[in-house]
């Protein structure tokens, strides 16, 4: 599958915005990752060392099946979903934010967007009842549910499609719930959907 744009939504869960001391947004906060950030959530995933804390952000990830047109329904636009991590160089991001500079260096580095295998998208209504989870070294680090998003999936595709465009192969990271935190060399991470593991990896920071 050839990917095109990798859209990411910031602060789409109120508790996550508050845990980082940020205001709850009134419209979606959008940033991009290069396609080189996308890697499989499996085996060993390398992370930068010596740049401060690297934080995990577990998210529901969507794949766009066709071009957006005004009035399009999210259930017609999205054909696949999965879980993934938006890795963030938190100290780097804090410095960039203090200078009013873009987040690319903190968000767009290689391997910063590992994703599990794609699965069928059940529809926006059904996904409201789906819980996802990140386990770190066997302990729950993050737990989220799409119903807790500030902006619904329909609102996200409308915003992205209207302002930036959406087409086949685009990927959307829909935001992370509370519980973000640092990873360390050798950490074992698992992503689960409804209690079933859908991907696992080990962090390497060397």
């Amino acid at each position: 599958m050839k990917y095109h744009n990798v859209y990411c939504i910031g602060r789409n869960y109120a508790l996550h915005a508050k845990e980082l001391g940020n205001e709850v947004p009134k419209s979606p906060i959008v940033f991009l990752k290069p396609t080189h950030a996308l890697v499989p959530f499996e085996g060993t995933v390398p992370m930068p060392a010596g740049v401060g804390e690297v934080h995990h952000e577990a998210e529901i990830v969507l794949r766009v099946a066709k071009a957006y047109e005004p009035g399009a329904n999210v259930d017609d636009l999205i054909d696949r979903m999965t879980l993934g991590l938006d890795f963030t160089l938190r100290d780097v991001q804090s410095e960039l934010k203090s200078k009013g500079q873009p987040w690319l260096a903190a968000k767009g580095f290689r391997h910063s967007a590992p994703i599990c295998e794609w699965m069928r998208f059940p529809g926006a209504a059904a996904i409201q009842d789906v819980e996802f989870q990140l386990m770190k070294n066997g302990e729950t680090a993050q737990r989220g549910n799409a119903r807790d998003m500030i902006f619904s999936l329909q609102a996200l595709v409308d915003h992205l499609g209207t302002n930036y465009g959406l087409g086949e192969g685009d990927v959307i990271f829909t935001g992370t719930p509370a519980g973000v935190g640092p990873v360390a060399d050798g950490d074992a991470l698992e992503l689960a959907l409804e209690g079933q593991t859908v991907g696992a990896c080990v962090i390497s920071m060397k």
Side-chain angles (χ1 to χ4, degrees), residues 22 26 28 40 49 66 79 110 131 142-143 148 153 171 179:
N22 297 314
K26 293 181 172 57
K66 61 182 181 180
D79 67 343
R110 294 182 66 189
E131 182 179 82
Q142 288 185 269
R143 188 189 303 271
D148 297 325
L153 300 187
V171 174

Side-chain angles (χ1 to χ4, degrees), residues 41 83 116 133 135 189-200:
F41 190 88
L83 299 180
C116 303
Q133 186 177 11
M135 305 287 289
L189 304 180
E190 292 183 44
L191 283 168
L193 196 65
E194 289 292 279
Q196 298 295 315
T197 298
V198 294

